Each structure stands twice: as structure tokens, then as C-alpha cells.
mmCIF file of all heavy atoms in Angstrom:
data_model
loop_
_atom_site.group_PDB
_atom_site.id
_atom_site.type_symbol
_atom_site.label_atom_id
_atom_site.label_comp_id
_atom_site.label_asym_id
_atom_site.label_seq_id
_atom_site.Cartn_x
_atom_site.Cartn_y
_atom_site.Cartn_z
ATOM 1 N N ASP A 1217 -131.205 -31.111 -67.639
ATOM 2 C CA ASP A 1217 -131.199 -29.645 -67.672
ATOM 3 C C ASP A 1217 -129.968 -29.129 -68.400
ATOM 4 O O ASP A 1217 -130.048 -28.208 -69.218
ATOM 5 C CB ASP A 1217 -131.263 -29.094 -66.247
ATOM 6 C CG ASP A 1217 -131.409 -27.593 -66.223
ATOM 7 O OD1 ASP A 1217 -132.294 -27.076 -66.953
ATOM 8 O OD2 ASP A 1217 -130.641 -26.938 -65.501
ATOM 9 N N TYR A 1218 -128.828 -29.730 -68.126
ATOM 10 C CA TYR A 1218 -127.586 -29.318 -68.795
ATOM 11 C C TYR A 1218 -127.716 -29.484 -70.306
ATOM 12 O O TYR A 1218 -127.379 -28.580 -71.079
ATOM 13 C CB TYR A 1218 -126.403 -30.135 -68.274
ATOM 14 C CG TYR A 1218 -125.157 -29.930 -69.096
ATOM 15 C CD1 TYR A 1218 -124.360 -28.805 -68.907
ATOM 16 C CD2 TYR A 1218 -124.803 -30.842 -70.091
ATOM 17 C CE1 TYR A 1218 -123.228 -28.594 -69.675
ATOM 18 C CE2 TYR A 1218 -123.678 -30.637 -70.869
ATOM 19 C CZ TYR A 1218 -122.893 -29.518 -70.658
ATOM 20 O OH TYR A 1218 -121.786 -29.307 -71.429
ATOM 21 N N ASN A 1219 -128.202 -30.641 -70.743
ATOM 22 C CA ASN A 1219 -128.304 -30.903 -72.176
ATOM 23 C C ASN A 1219 -129.356 -30.023 -72.837
ATOM 24 O O ASN A 1219 -129.196 -29.619 -73.990
ATOM 25 C CB ASN A 1219 -128.592 -32.384 -72.432
ATOM 26 C CG ASN A 1219 -127.358 -33.218 -72.197
ATOM 27 O OD1 ASN A 1219 -126.341 -33.014 -72.830
ATOM 28 N ND2 ASN A 1219 -127.425 -34.136 -71.251
ATOM 29 N N THR A 1220 -130.411 -29.704 -72.108
ATOM 30 C CA THR A 1220 -131.420 -28.795 -72.651
ATOM 31 C C THR A 1220 -130.822 -27.410 -72.863
ATOM 32 O O THR A 1220 -131.017 -26.782 -73.916
ATOM 33 C CB THR A 1220 -132.633 -28.715 -71.697
ATOM 34 O OG1 THR A 1220 -133.190 -30.025 -71.560
ATOM 35 C CG2 THR A 1220 -133.690 -27.777 -72.229
ATOM 36 N N ARG A 1221 -130.062 -26.927 -71.871
ATOM 37 C CA ARG A 1221 -129.409 -25.622 -72.020
ATOM 38 C C ARG A 1221 -128.374 -25.643 -73.142
ATOM 39 O O ARG A 1221 -128.229 -24.674 -73.886
ATOM 40 C CB ARG A 1221 -128.760 -25.199 -70.702
ATOM 41 C CG ARG A 1221 -129.778 -24.701 -69.686
ATOM 42 C CD ARG A 1221 -129.125 -24.217 -68.408
ATOM 43 N NE ARG A 1221 -128.784 -25.393 -67.596
ATOM 44 C CZ ARG A 1221 -127.580 -25.674 -67.128
ATOM 45 N NH1 ARG A 1221 -126.580 -24.861 -67.335
ATOM 46 N NH2 ARG A 1221 -127.360 -26.765 -66.415
ATOM 47 N N GLU A 1222 -127.673 -26.746 -73.276
ATOM 48 C CA GLU A 1222 -126.685 -26.885 -74.345
ATOM 49 C C GLU A 1222 -127.365 -26.823 -75.712
ATOM 50 O O GLU A 1222 -126.877 -26.181 -76.642
ATOM 51 C CB GLU A 1222 -125.918 -28.204 -74.187
ATOM 52 C CG GLU A 1222 -124.834 -28.427 -75.202
ATOM 53 C CD GLU A 1222 -123.635 -27.513 -75.033
ATOM 54 O OE1 GLU A 1222 -123.515 -26.847 -73.999
ATOM 55 O OE2 GLU A 1222 -122.818 -27.463 -75.964
ATOM 56 N N ALA A 1223 -128.502 -27.476 -75.841
ATOM 57 C CA ALA A 1223 -129.253 -27.440 -77.098
ATOM 58 C C ALA A 1223 -129.720 -26.022 -77.407
ATOM 59 O O ALA A 1223 -129.643 -25.568 -78.562
ATOM 60 C CB ALA A 1223 -130.450 -28.386 -77.023
ATOM 61 N N GLN A 1224 -130.174 -25.311 -76.396
ATOM 62 C CA GLN A 1224 -130.604 -23.930 -76.600
ATOM 63 C C GLN A 1224 -129.439 -23.048 -77.023
ATOM 64 O O GLN A 1224 -129.569 -22.197 -77.906
ATOM 65 C CB GLN A 1224 -131.252 -23.382 -75.331
ATOM 66 C CG GLN A 1224 -132.577 -24.032 -75.010
ATOM 67 C CD GLN A 1224 -133.080 -23.687 -73.622
ATOM 68 O OE1 GLN A 1224 -132.346 -23.167 -72.793
ATOM 69 N NE2 GLN A 1224 -134.340 -23.996 -73.365
ATOM 70 N N ARG A 1225 -128.270 -23.242 -76.408
ATOM 71 C CA ARG A 1225 -127.085 -22.468 -76.765
ATOM 72 C C ARG A 1225 -126.690 -22.728 -78.219
ATOM 73 O O ARG A 1225 -126.414 -21.799 -78.979
ATOM 74 C CB ARG A 1225 -125.915 -22.815 -75.842
ATOM 75 C CG ARG A 1225 -124.665 -21.960 -76.117
ATOM 76 C CD ARG A 1225 -123.441 -22.502 -75.421
ATOM 77 N NE ARG A 1225 -123.040 -23.816 -75.880
ATOM 78 C CZ ARG A 1225 -122.387 -24.058 -77.022
ATOM 79 N NH1 ARG A 1225 -122.089 -23.069 -77.835
ATOM 80 N NH2 ARG A 1225 -122.039 -25.280 -77.346
ATOM 81 N N CYS A 1226 -126.709 -23.989 -78.602
ATOM 82 C CA CYS A 1226 -126.342 -24.337 -79.977
ATOM 83 C C CYS A 1226 -127.334 -23.758 -80.978
ATOM 84 O O CYS A 1226 -126.952 -23.312 -82.064
ATOM 85 C CB CYS A 1226 -126.246 -25.851 -80.134
ATOM 86 S SG CYS A 1226 -124.844 -26.578 -79.266
ATOM 87 N N THR A 1227 -128.605 -23.736 -80.611
ATOM 88 C CA THR A 1227 -129.621 -23.171 -81.488
ATOM 89 C C THR A 1227 -129.406 -21.668 -81.653
ATOM 90 O O THR A 1227 -129.503 -21.140 -82.769
ATOM 91 C CB THR A 1227 -131.028 -23.456 -80.930
ATOM 92 O OG1 THR A 1227 -131.198 -24.873 -80.820
ATOM 93 C CG2 THR A 1227 -132.108 -22.890 -81.839
ATOM 94 N N ARG A 1228 -129.106 -20.977 -80.555
ATOM 95 C CA ARG A 1228 -128.826 -19.535 -80.643
ATOM 96 C C ARG A 1228 -127.598 -19.276 -81.511
ATOM 97 O O ARG A 1228 -127.577 -18.344 -82.321
ATOM 98 C CB ARG A 1228 -128.612 -18.941 -79.249
ATOM 99 C CG ARG A 1228 -129.875 -18.715 -78.475
ATOM 100 C CD ARG A 1228 -129.631 -17.868 -77.237
ATOM 101 N NE ARG A 1228 -128.590 -18.413 -76.371
ATOM 102 C CZ ARG A 1228 -128.774 -19.306 -75.403
ATOM 103 N NH1 ARG A 1228 -129.986 -19.761 -75.178
ATOM 104 N NH2 ARG A 1228 -127.765 -19.730 -74.666
ATOM 105 N N GLU A 1229 -126.589 -20.113 -81.359
ATOM 106 C CA GLU A 1229 -125.378 -19.948 -82.164
ATOM 107 C C GLU A 1229 -125.680 -20.203 -83.643
ATOM 108 O O GLU A 1229 -125.157 -19.515 -84.517
ATOM 109 C CB GLU A 1229 -124.291 -20.906 -81.667
ATOM 110 C CG GLU A 1229 -122.915 -20.414 -81.979
ATOM 111 C CD GLU A 1229 -121.843 -21.143 -81.180
ATOM 112 O OE1 GLU A 1229 -122.059 -21.441 -79.992
ATOM 113 O OE2 GLU A 1229 -120.789 -21.408 -81.779
ATOM 114 N N ALA A 1230 -126.537 -21.163 -83.933
ATOM 115 C CA ALA A 1230 -126.922 -21.437 -85.316
ATOM 116 C C ALA A 1230 -127.653 -20.229 -85.911
ATOM 117 O O ALA A 1230 -127.427 -19.869 -87.073
ATOM 118 C CB ALA A 1230 -127.808 -22.676 -85.388
ATOM 119 N N GLU A 1231 -128.515 -19.599 -85.115
ATOM 120 C CA GLU A 1231 -129.213 -18.394 -85.580
ATOM 121 C C GLU A 1231 -128.218 -17.277 -85.876
ATOM 122 O O GLU A 1231 -128.370 -16.542 -86.859
ATOM 123 C CB GLU A 1231 -130.235 -17.939 -84.541
ATOM 124 C CG GLU A 1231 -131.406 -18.873 -84.394
ATOM 125 C CD GLU A 1231 -132.266 -18.571 -83.180
ATOM 126 O OE1 GLU A 1231 -131.920 -17.652 -82.395
ATOM 127 O OE2 GLU A 1231 -133.289 -19.247 -83.017
ATOM 128 N N TYR A 1232 -127.201 -17.146 -85.038
ATOM 129 C CA TYR A 1232 -126.157 -16.149 -85.253
ATOM 130 C C TYR A 1232 -125.461 -16.387 -86.594
ATOM 131 O O TYR A 1232 -125.267 -15.458 -87.384
ATOM 132 C CB TYR A 1232 -125.144 -16.201 -84.104
ATOM 133 C CG TYR A 1232 -123.864 -15.464 -84.379
ATOM 134 C CD1 TYR A 1232 -123.795 -14.084 -84.260
ATOM 135 C CD2 TYR A 1232 -122.714 -16.150 -84.763
ATOM 136 C CE1 TYR A 1232 -122.614 -13.400 -84.520
ATOM 137 C CE2 TYR A 1232 -121.531 -15.481 -85.019
ATOM 138 C CZ TYR A 1232 -121.493 -14.103 -84.900
ATOM 139 O OH TYR A 1232 -120.330 -13.436 -85.153
ATOM 140 N N TYR A 1233 -125.095 -17.633 -86.866
ATOM 141 C CA TYR A 1233 -124.401 -17.937 -88.117
ATOM 142 C C TYR A 1233 -125.325 -17.735 -89.321
ATOM 143 O O TYR A 1233 -124.867 -17.347 -90.404
ATOM 144 C CB TYR A 1233 -123.841 -19.357 -88.100
ATOM 145 C CG TYR A 1233 -122.605 -19.472 -87.231
ATOM 146 C CD1 TYR A 1233 -122.543 -20.388 -86.190
ATOM 147 C CD2 TYR A 1233 -121.503 -18.656 -87.440
ATOM 148 C CE1 TYR A 1233 -121.420 -20.486 -85.391
ATOM 149 C CE2 TYR A 1233 -120.379 -18.743 -86.647
ATOM 150 C CZ TYR A 1233 -120.343 -19.665 -85.621
ATOM 151 O OH TYR A 1233 -119.224 -19.750 -84.836
ATOM 152 N N GLN A 1234 -126.615 -17.973 -89.147
ATOM 153 C CA GLN A 1234 -127.570 -17.717 -90.233
ATOM 154 C C GLN A 1234 -127.559 -16.227 -90.578
ATOM 155 O O GLN A 1234 -127.520 -15.851 -91.753
ATOM 156 C CB GLN A 1234 -128.978 -18.160 -89.814
ATOM 157 C CG GLN A 1234 -130.057 -17.814 -90.819
ATOM 158 C CD GLN A 1234 -129.918 -18.534 -92.131
ATOM 159 O OE1 GLN A 1234 -129.464 -19.670 -92.166
ATOM 160 N NE2 GLN A 1234 -130.292 -17.894 -93.214
ATOM 161 N N LYS A 1235 -127.577 -15.382 -89.570
ATOM 162 C CA LYS A 1235 -127.561 -13.937 -89.816
ATOM 163 C C LYS A 1235 -126.244 -13.504 -90.459
ATOM 164 O O LYS A 1235 -126.229 -12.638 -91.346
ATOM 165 C CB LYS A 1235 -127.790 -13.182 -88.509
ATOM 166 C CG LYS A 1235 -129.212 -13.302 -88.015
ATOM 167 C CD LYS A 1235 -129.421 -12.585 -86.711
ATOM 168 C CE LYS A 1235 -130.839 -12.824 -86.213
ATOM 169 N NZ LYS A 1235 -131.068 -12.192 -84.925
ATOM 170 N N LYS A 1236 -125.142 -14.104 -90.006
ATOM 171 C CA LYS A 1236 -123.846 -13.780 -90.609
ATOM 172 C C LYS A 1236 -123.845 -14.162 -92.089
ATOM 173 O O LYS A 1236 -123.383 -13.386 -92.931
ATOM 174 C CB LYS A 1236 -122.712 -14.523 -89.892
ATOM 175 C CG LYS A 1236 -122.432 -14.066 -88.490
ATOM 176 C CD LYS A 1236 -121.813 -12.701 -88.447
ATOM 177 C CE LYS A 1236 -120.341 -12.788 -88.777
ATOM 178 N NZ LYS A 1236 -119.647 -11.508 -88.635
ATOM 179 N N ALA A 1237 -124.373 -15.330 -92.405
ATOM 180 C CA ALA A 1237 -124.414 -15.780 -93.802
ATOM 181 C C ALA A 1237 -125.251 -14.827 -94.650
ATOM 182 O O ALA A 1237 -124.864 -14.484 -95.777
ATOM 183 C CB ALA A 1237 -124.971 -17.198 -93.880
ATOM 184 N N GLU A 1238 -126.388 -14.400 -94.106
ATOM 185 C CA GLU A 1238 -127.238 -13.469 -94.853
ATOM 186 C C GLU A 1238 -126.501 -12.158 -95.116
ATOM 187 O O GLU A 1238 -126.598 -11.590 -96.205
ATOM 188 C CB GLU A 1238 -128.536 -13.219 -94.091
ATOM 189 C CG GLU A 1238 -129.450 -14.424 -94.066
ATOM 190 C CD GLU A 1238 -130.608 -14.271 -93.084
ATOM 191 O OE1 GLU A 1238 -130.675 -13.246 -92.362
ATOM 192 O OE2 GLU A 1238 -131.453 -15.187 -93.038
ATOM 193 N N GLY A 1239 -125.757 -11.681 -94.124
ATOM 194 C CA GLY A 1239 -124.982 -10.453 -94.305
ATOM 195 C C GLY A 1239 -123.912 -10.613 -95.368
ATOM 196 O O GLY A 1239 -123.716 -9.726 -96.215
ATOM 197 N N TYR A 1240 -123.219 -11.736 -95.336
ATOM 198 C CA TYR A 1240 -122.189 -11.992 -96.351
ATOM 199 C C TYR A 1240 -122.812 -12.083 -97.741
ATOM 200 O O TYR A 1240 -122.234 -11.602 -98.726
ATOM 201 C CB TYR A 1240 -121.425 -13.276 -96.043
ATOM 202 C CG TYR A 1240 -120.513 -13.183 -94.853
ATOM 203 C CD1 TYR A 1240 -120.491 -14.189 -93.895
ATOM 204 C CD2 TYR A 1240 -119.645 -12.108 -94.676
ATOM 205 C CE1 TYR A 1240 -119.641 -14.127 -92.797
ATOM 206 C CE2 TYR A 1240 -118.792 -12.033 -93.588
ATOM 207 C CZ TYR A 1240 -118.794 -13.048 -92.649
ATOM 208 O OH TYR A 1240 -117.958 -12.983 -91.571
ATOM 209 N N GLN A 1241 -123.994 -12.683 -97.842
ATOM 210 C CA GLN A 1241 -124.658 -12.789 -99.143
ATOM 211 C C GLN A 1241 -125.069 -11.408 -99.662
ATOM 212 O O GLN A 1241 -124.952 -11.129 -100.856
ATOM 213 C CB GLN A 1241 -125.864 -13.718 -99.045
ATOM 214 C CG GLN A 1241 -125.472 -15.170 -98.874
ATOM 215 C CD GLN A 1241 -126.633 -16.068 -98.528
ATOM 216 O OE1 GLN A 1241 -127.664 -15.617 -98.042
ATOM 217 N NE2 GLN A 1241 -126.465 -17.362 -98.747
ATOM 218 N N ARG A 1242 -125.532 -10.548 -98.759
ATOM 219 C CA ARG A 1242 -125.872 -9.174 -99.166
ATOM 220 C C ARG A 1242 -124.629 -8.442 -99.670
ATOM 221 O O ARG A 1242 -124.676 -7.742 -100.692
ATOM 222 C CB ARG A 1242 -126.498 -8.402 -97.995
ATOM 223 C CG ARG A 1242 -127.975 -8.627 -97.826
ATOM 224 C CD ARG A 1242 -128.583 -7.621 -96.868
ATOM 225 N NE ARG A 1242 -127.959 -7.630 -95.551
ATOM 226 C CZ ARG A 1242 -128.262 -8.466 -94.570
ATOM 227 N NH1 ARG A 1242 -129.187 -9.376 -94.755
ATOM 228 N NH2 ARG A 1242 -127.643 -8.389 -93.404
ATOM 229 N N GLU A 1243 -123.512 -8.621 -98.944
ATOM 230 C CA GLU A 1243 -122.274 -7.970 -99.376
ATOM 231 C C GLU A 1243 -121.812 -8.524 -100.724
ATOM 232 O O GLU A 1243 -121.320 -7.772 -101.565
ATOM 233 C CB GLU A 1243 -121.187 -8.160 -98.331
ATOM 234 C CG GLU A 1243 -121.408 -7.322 -97.083
ATOM 235 C CD GLU A 1243 -120.271 -7.458 -96.099
ATOM 236 O OE1 GLU A 1243 -119.117 -7.686 -96.520
ATOM 237 O OE2 GLU A 1243 -120.537 -7.327 -94.892
ATOM 238 N N ALA A 1244 -121.965 -9.823 -100.922
ATOM 239 C CA ALA A 1244 -121.580 -10.424 -102.208
ATOM 240 C C ALA A 1244 -122.418 -9.835 -103.336
ATOM 241 O O ALA A 1244 -121.886 -9.520 -104.413
ATOM 242 C CB ALA A 1244 -121.741 -11.935 -102.157
ATOM 243 N N ALA A 1245 -123.704 -9.652 -103.098
ATOM 244 C CA ALA A 1245 -124.573 -9.054 -104.120
ATOM 245 C C ALA A 1245 -124.144 -7.613 -104.409
ATOM 246 O O ALA A 1245 -124.105 -7.187 -105.575
ATOM 247 C CB ALA A 1245 -126.026 -9.100 -103.658
ATOM 248 N N TYR A 1246 -123.803 -6.891 -103.360
ATOM 249 C CA TYR A 1246 -123.350 -5.501 -103.530
ATOM 250 C C TYR A 1246 -122.092 -5.451 -104.392
ATOM 251 O O TYR A 1246 -122.006 -4.680 -105.356
ATOM 252 C CB TYR A 1246 -123.092 -4.875 -102.151
ATOM 253 C CG TYR A 1246 -122.396 -3.545 -102.224
ATOM 254 C CD1 TYR A 1246 -123.102 -2.384 -102.532
ATOM 255 C CD2 TYR A 1246 -121.020 -3.449 -102.007
ATOM 256 C CE1 TYR A 1246 -122.461 -1.165 -102.617
ATOM 257 C CE2 TYR A 1246 -120.370 -2.232 -102.084
ATOM 258 C CZ TYR A 1246 -121.085 -1.089 -102.392
ATOM 259 O OH TYR A 1246 -120.446 0.120 -102.473
ATOM 260 N N TYR A 1247 -121.107 -6.290 -104.060
ATOM 261 C CA TYR A 1247 -119.859 -6.269 -104.823
ATOM 262 C C TYR A 1247 -120.048 -6.787 -106.239
ATOM 263 O O TYR A 1247 -119.356 -6.343 -107.158
ATOM 264 C CB TYR A 1247 -118.765 -7.061 -104.090
ATOM 265 C CG TYR A 1247 -118.285 -6.355 -102.849
ATOM 266 C CD1 TYR A 1247 -118.392 -6.950 -101.596
ATOM 267 C CD2 TYR A 1247 -117.735 -5.084 -102.921
ATOM 268 C CE1 TYR A 1247 -117.959 -6.299 -100.459
ATOM 269 C CE2 TYR A 1247 -117.302 -4.425 -101.789
ATOM 270 C CZ TYR A 1247 -117.421 -5.031 -100.549
ATOM 271 O OH TYR A 1247 -116.997 -4.373 -99.434
ATOM 272 N N THR A 1248 -120.995 -7.678 -106.430
ATOM 273 C CA THR A 1248 -121.297 -8.155 -107.781
ATOM 274 C C THR A 1248 -121.857 -7.001 -108.610
ATOM 275 O O THR A 1248 -121.467 -6.809 -109.766
ATOM 276 C CB THR A 1248 -122.293 -9.323 -107.735
ATOM 277 O OG1 THR A 1248 -121.704 -10.396 -106.995
ATOM 278 C CG2 THR A 1248 -122.640 -9.809 -109.131
ATOM 279 N N ARG A 1249 -122.780 -6.236 -108.012
ATOM 280 C CA ARG A 1249 -123.346 -5.080 -108.734
ATOM 281 C C ARG A 1249 -122.260 -4.051 -109.058
ATOM 282 O O ARG A 1249 -122.316 -3.396 -110.097
ATOM 283 C CB ARG A 1249 -124.442 -4.417 -107.900
ATOM 284 C CG ARG A 1249 -125.748 -5.168 -107.898
ATOM 285 C CD ARG A 1249 -126.888 -4.349 -107.311
ATOM 286 N NE ARG A 1249 -126.607 -3.818 -105.980
ATOM 287 C CZ ARG A 1249 -126.811 -4.453 -104.830
ATOM 288 N NH1 ARG A 1249 -127.307 -5.680 -104.847
ATOM 289 N NH2 ARG A 1249 -126.540 -3.882 -103.673
ATOM 290 N N LYS A 1250 -121.295 -3.900 -108.166
ATOM 291 C CA LYS A 1250 -120.210 -2.931 -108.381
ATOM 292 C C LYS A 1250 -119.148 -3.449 -109.348
ATOM 293 O O LYS A 1250 -118.253 -2.713 -109.740
ATOM 294 C CB LYS A 1250 -119.539 -2.573 -107.038
ATOM 295 C CG LYS A 1250 -120.453 -1.856 -106.090
ATOM 296 C CD LYS A 1250 -120.783 -0.491 -106.639
ATOM 297 C CE LYS A 1250 -121.634 0.283 -105.650
ATOM 298 N NZ LYS A 1250 -122.052 1.563 -106.194
ATOM 299 N N GLY A 1251 -119.225 -4.733 -109.696
ATOM 300 C CA GLY A 1251 -118.273 -5.304 -110.644
ATOM 301 C C GLY A 1251 -117.014 -5.881 -110.008
ATOM 302 O O GLY A 1251 -116.101 -6.288 -110.717
ATOM 303 N N ASP A 1252 -116.966 -5.929 -108.695
ATOM 304 C CA ASP A 1252 -115.797 -6.473 -107.987
ATOM 305 C C ASP A 1252 -116.046 -7.967 -107.718
ATOM 306 O O ASP A 1252 -116.398 -8.373 -106.618
ATOM 307 C CB ASP A 1252 -115.577 -5.704 -106.687
ATOM 308 C CG ASP A 1252 -114.245 -6.026 -106.033
ATOM 309 O OD1 ASP A 1252 -113.568 -6.976 -106.492
ATOM 310 O OD2 ASP A 1252 -113.883 -5.325 -105.061
ATOM 311 N N THR A 1253 -115.833 -8.785 -108.737
ATOM 312 C CA THR A 1253 -116.174 -10.206 -108.633
ATOM 313 C C THR A 1253 -115.288 -10.958 -107.645
ATOM 314 O O THR A 1253 -115.743 -11.899 -106.997
ATOM 315 C CB THR A 1253 -116.110 -10.892 -110.009
ATOM 316 O OG1 THR A 1253 -114.820 -10.689 -110.562
ATOM 317 C CG2 THR A 1253 -117.178 -10.332 -110.928
ATOM 318 N N ASP A 1254 -114.019 -10.553 -107.537
ATOM 319 C CA ASP A 1254 -113.137 -11.231 -106.578
ATOM 320 C C ASP A 1254 -113.646 -11.055 -105.152
ATOM 321 O O ASP A 1254 -113.696 -12.006 -104.371
ATOM 322 C CB ASP A 1254 -111.704 -10.712 -106.685
ATOM 323 C CG ASP A 1254 -111.018 -11.147 -107.967
ATOM 324 O OD1 ASP A 1254 -111.461 -12.162 -108.549
ATOM 325 O OD2 ASP A 1254 -110.049 -10.477 -108.381
ATOM 326 N N ARG A 1255 -114.018 -9.835 -104.833
ATOM 327 C CA ARG A 1255 -114.535 -9.569 -103.484
ATOM 328 C C ARG A 1255 -115.875 -10.274 -103.279
ATOM 329 O O ARG A 1255 -116.162 -10.782 -102.200
ATOM 330 C CB ARG A 1255 -114.685 -8.061 -103.282
ATOM 331 C CG ARG A 1255 -114.939 -7.651 -101.886
ATOM 332 C CD ARG A 1255 -113.761 -6.873 -101.336
ATOM 333 N NE ARG A 1255 -113.964 -6.545 -99.950
ATOM 334 C CZ ARG A 1255 -113.887 -5.330 -99.455
ATOM 335 N NH1 ARG A 1255 -113.609 -4.317 -100.243
ATOM 336 N NH2 ARG A 1255 -114.066 -5.136 -98.175
ATOM 337 N N ALA A 1256 -116.699 -10.318 -104.318
ATOM 338 C CA ALA A 1256 -117.990 -11.002 -104.236
ATOM 339 C C ALA A 1256 -117.785 -12.499 -103.977
ATOM 340 O O ALA A 1256 -118.488 -13.095 -103.151
ATOM 341 C CB ALA A 1256 -118.790 -10.790 -105.512
ATOM 342 N N LYS A 1257 -116.816 -13.103 -104.658
ATOM 343 C CA LYS A 1257 -116.521 -14.516 -104.442
ATOM 344 C C LYS A 1257 -116.053 -14.773 -103.011
ATOM 345 O O LYS A 1257 -116.436 -15.768 -102.390
ATOM 346 C CB LYS A 1257 -115.452 -14.999 -105.427
ATOM 347 C CG LYS A 1257 -115.943 -15.152 -106.835
ATOM 348 C CD LYS A 1257 -114.806 -15.582 -107.750
ATOM 349 C CE LYS A 1257 -115.241 -15.595 -109.193
ATOM 350 N NZ LYS A 1257 -114.135 -15.944 -110.098
ATOM 351 N N THR A 1258 -115.237 -13.863 -102.503
ATOM 352 C CA THR A 1258 -114.756 -13.998 -101.126
ATOM 353 C C THR A 1258 -115.926 -13.941 -100.151
ATOM 354 O O THR A 1258 -116.012 -14.752 -99.216
ATOM 355 C CB THR A 1258 -113.733 -12.885 -100.803
ATOM 356 O OG1 THR A 1258 -112.631 -13.004 -101.700
ATOM 357 C CG2 THR A 1258 -113.260 -12.981 -99.367
ATOM 358 N N GLN A 1259 -116.828 -12.998 -100.367
ATOM 359 C CA GLN A 1259 -117.986 -12.869 -99.485
ATOM 360 C C GLN A 1259 -118.875 -14.114 -99.564
ATOM 361 O O GLN A 1259 -119.417 -14.562 -98.552
ATOM 362 C CB GLN A 1259 -118.793 -11.613 -99.833
ATOM 363 C CG GLN A 1259 -118.056 -10.326 -99.554
ATOM 364 C CD GLN A 1259 -117.660 -10.181 -98.102
ATOM 365 O OE1 GLN A 1259 -118.440 -10.443 -97.195
ATOM 366 N NE2 GLN A 1259 -116.423 -9.771 -97.867
ATOM 367 N N MET A 1260 -119.029 -14.681 -100.746
ATOM 368 C CA MET A 1260 -119.835 -15.904 -100.881
ATOM 369 C C MET A 1260 -119.155 -17.076 -100.180
ATOM 370 O O MET A 1260 -119.815 -17.916 -99.584
ATOM 371 C CB MET A 1260 -120.080 -16.240 -102.355
ATOM 372 C CG MET A 1260 -121.141 -15.372 -103.000
ATOM 373 S SD MET A 1260 -122.717 -15.344 -102.101
ATOM 374 C CE MET A 1260 -123.259 -17.020 -102.275
ATOM 375 N N ARG A 1261 -117.840 -17.121 -100.234
ATOM 376 C CA ARG A 1261 -117.113 -18.167 -99.520
ATOM 377 C C ARG A 1261 -117.326 -18.017 -98.012
ATOM 378 O O ARG A 1261 -117.552 -18.995 -97.306
ATOM 379 C CB ARG A 1261 -115.624 -18.112 -99.879
ATOM 380 C CG ARG A 1261 -114.876 -19.358 -99.520
ATOM 381 C CD ARG A 1261 -113.472 -19.413 -100.105
ATOM 382 N NE ARG A 1261 -112.707 -18.190 -99.973
ATOM 383 C CZ ARG A 1261 -112.358 -17.404 -101.008
ATOM 384 N NH1 ARG A 1261 -112.691 -17.729 -102.236
ATOM 385 N NH2 ARG A 1261 -111.654 -16.302 -100.806
ATOM 386 N N TYR A 1262 -117.302 -16.775 -97.533
ATOM 387 C CA TYR A 1262 -117.586 -16.519 -96.117
ATOM 388 C C TYR A 1262 -119.001 -16.969 -95.766
ATOM 389 O O TYR A 1262 -119.236 -17.540 -94.699
ATOM 390 C CB TYR A 1262 -117.435 -15.038 -95.777
ATOM 391 C CG TYR A 1262 -116.029 -14.497 -95.804
ATOM 392 C CD1 TYR A 1262 -115.805 -13.134 -95.898
ATOM 393 C CD2 TYR A 1262 -114.910 -15.331 -95.738
ATOM 394 C CE1 TYR A 1262 -114.523 -12.606 -95.914
ATOM 395 C CE2 TYR A 1262 -113.625 -14.814 -95.753
ATOM 396 C CZ TYR A 1262 -113.439 -13.450 -95.852
ATOM 397 O OH TYR A 1262 -112.172 -12.937 -95.862
ATOM 398 N N ALA A 1263 -119.928 -16.694 -96.657
ATOM 399 C CA ALA A 1263 -121.326 -17.092 -96.427
ATOM 400 C C ALA A 1263 -121.446 -18.611 -96.362
ATOM 401 O O ALA A 1263 -122.141 -19.151 -95.489
ATOM 402 C CB ALA A 1263 -122.230 -16.532 -97.525
ATOM 403 N N GLU A 1264 -120.772 -19.303 -97.254
ATOM 404 C CA GLU A 1264 -120.807 -20.770 -97.244
ATOM 405 C C GLU A 1264 -120.213 -21.328 -95.959
ATOM 406 O O GLU A 1264 -120.738 -22.285 -95.389
ATOM 407 C CB GLU A 1264 -120.071 -21.318 -98.467
ATOM 408 C CG GLU A 1264 -120.800 -21.062 -99.770
ATOM 409 C CD GLU A 1264 -119.948 -21.333 -100.997
ATOM 410 O OE1 GLU A 1264 -118.777 -21.765 -100.846
ATOM 411 O OE2 GLU A 1264 -120.447 -21.098 -102.113
#
């Protein structure tokens, strides 16, 4: 039971990081369109 709950917790945390990465990628695209390549690179690094 403990290990099953641990697996579920890790899966939820992985989903959280997936959403964070998607947000960072959206921000990188926004800054790329605005011409701020340094900020876009930073956001892509955060996404990675």
C-alpha cells in the first residue's frame, strides 16, 4: 500500500512538471515572437 501510494504521488508530481514545462514553452514562444531571445532561451532552459 505504501509503495502504491508513493507511485501515485510520483505520477502526480510528474504531471505537475509536465504542465510547468508546457507553460515555460509557451512563454518561450511568446518571448521569441517579441524578439527577446535571451528571455526565450531562459524559458526553454526552465522547460528542459
Side-chain angles (χ1 to χ4, degrees):
D1217 186 49
Y1218 170 80
N1219 286 301
T1220 300
R1221 284 183 281 125
E1222 182 70 12
Q1224 291 169 346
R1225 184 192 64 77
C1226 290
T1227 301
R1228 283 192 305 272
E1229 206 165 321
E1231 291 168 357
Y1232 166 79
Y1233 285 124
Q1234 174 65 33
K1235 288 179 184 178
K1236 291 290 281 185
E1238 290 169 357
Y1240 289 134
Q1241 289 170 339
R1242 276 193 303 277
E1243 287 184 30
Y1246 170 79
Y1247 289 120
T1248 299
R1249 283 192 306 273
K1250 295 293 184 184
D1252 191 351
T1253 56
D1254 289 338
R1255 192 113 184 234
K1257 287 178 186 177
T1258 300
Q1259 293 301 315
M1260 283 307 294
R1261 197 169 45 248
Y1262 291 161
E1264 290 168 2

